[in-house]
Amino acid sequence: MVVDAPHLRADAQRNLERILEAARAVFAEEGLEASVADVARRAGVGTATIFRRFATKDDLVAAMLEQELQAIVVRARAAAEADDPSAALAELFSGVVEGFIQDRCFCDASGGDLFERPRMQELVGELTGAVEELLRRARKAGTIRRDVVAEDIAFLVNAIGLAGVRLEHTAPGAWRRYVEIVLAGLAPQGGRKLAHKPPTPQQLHDSKRAR
């Protein structure tokens, strides 16, 4: 039986979606140590099917991370347009940290070589721009310190996320306390300025590569 080309394309697309969905679940549970064979079993396909679409395990992980980062960018853009920028920042901050806690792979890969890929760097730039716009609106509303920048938010999200992952098995949800503390610290402090400058985007980038 000859299968027409449109059907083949639709079938291939369904396989791709099944593979990426399985990859998100497997790598979220097991981190980067999970194998392509684990993903194939979860997706109900052979490893050869995955390798026909992704040349290496890194390519598979990068495709999955790209989707997840794109979703965060969409959330950040929506937050930047919200009526209440302070509430939107709190919701975005807490949501991204929770994503770190729930997804070992995203947490493990954050700042690593996979984030050096051009599309990932492009998405990081889009995310930074959306967060800076959100901060600009919060500063205008007088609900956040005037000296807080997007790089500060990135640093704090990573700090709580990485520490929270280690605590989650012994103190589930403890990370929420530290989100509260950070958000309280971001509020205006009666004109008192921070004594130290934030890291530049390049310094943050270089520090991740040095790990």
Side-chain angles (χ1 to χ4, degrees):
M1 175 180 179
V2 177
V3 181
D4 60 20
H7 181 83
L8 284 174
R9 287 197 293 270
D11 187 58
Q13 182 61 33
R14 283 194 295 272
N15 273 343
L16 175 60
E17 291 169 358
R18 189 183 308 122
I19 289 166
L20 289 175
E21 182 179 351
R24 278 191 294 273
V26 170
F27 287 119
E29 294 166 6
E30 302 179 28
L32 290 174
E33 307 87 43
S35 69
V36 173
D38 295 329
V39 175
R41 279 192 293 273
R42 184 73 64 96
V45 300
T47 55
T49 299
I50 294 179
F51 284 122
R52 277 196 296 271
R53 184 62 180 80
F54 302 101
T56 67
K57 174 183 169 181
D58 278 356
D59 290 336
L60 171 61
V61 175
M64 179 201 66
L65 291 174
E66 183 179 313
Q67 285 191 342
E68 294 186 3
L69 188 54
Q70 179 65 63
I72 295 173
V73 170
V74 170
R75 291 179 65 178
R77 285 175 173 163
E81 297 175 359
D83 292 336
D84 185 341
S86 180
L89 176 61
E91 183 177 350
L92 178 65
F93 190 102
S94 181
V96 175
V97 171
E98 184 171 18
F100 263 63
I101 304 299
Q102 294 178 344
D103 187 341
R104 281 187 56 196
C105 179
F106 196 89
C107 188
D108 290 350
S110 179
D113 289 343
L114 292 175
F115 275 75
E116 295 297 312
R117 297 189 176 207
R119 179 54 181 156
M120 295 295 284
Q121 285 293 297
E122 181 181 336
L123 288 170
V124 169
E126 292 175 12
L127 177 58
T128 300
V131 171
E132 192 53 63
E133 173 60 17
L134 175 56
L135 293 176
R136 184 193 68 77
R137 294 188 61 235
R139 287 191 290 266
K140 185 176 180 181
T143 57
I144 195 170
R145 301 182 62 107
R146 301 192 64 81
D147 47 4
V148 172
V149 297
E151 288 72 33
D152 294 321
I153 302 301
F155 182 97
L156 292 167
V157 164
N158 276 274
I160 297 177
L162 292 170
V165 165
R166 293 195 294 270
L167 263 178
E168 192 64 8
H169 294 299
T170 55
W175 60 271
R176 297 182 188 279
R177 170 181 173 84
Y178 301 99
V179 167
E180 286 187 79
I181 290 171
V182 165
L183 292 175
L186 293 176
Q189 304 292 316
R192 179 185 174 189
K193 293 184 178 180
L194 294 171
H196 302 284
K197 294 180 180 180
T200 66
Q202 188 62 49
Q203 286 171 326
L204 281 177
H205 178 271
D206 291 345
S207 72
K208 292 169 182 176
R209 288 184 61 82
R211 290 190 308 177

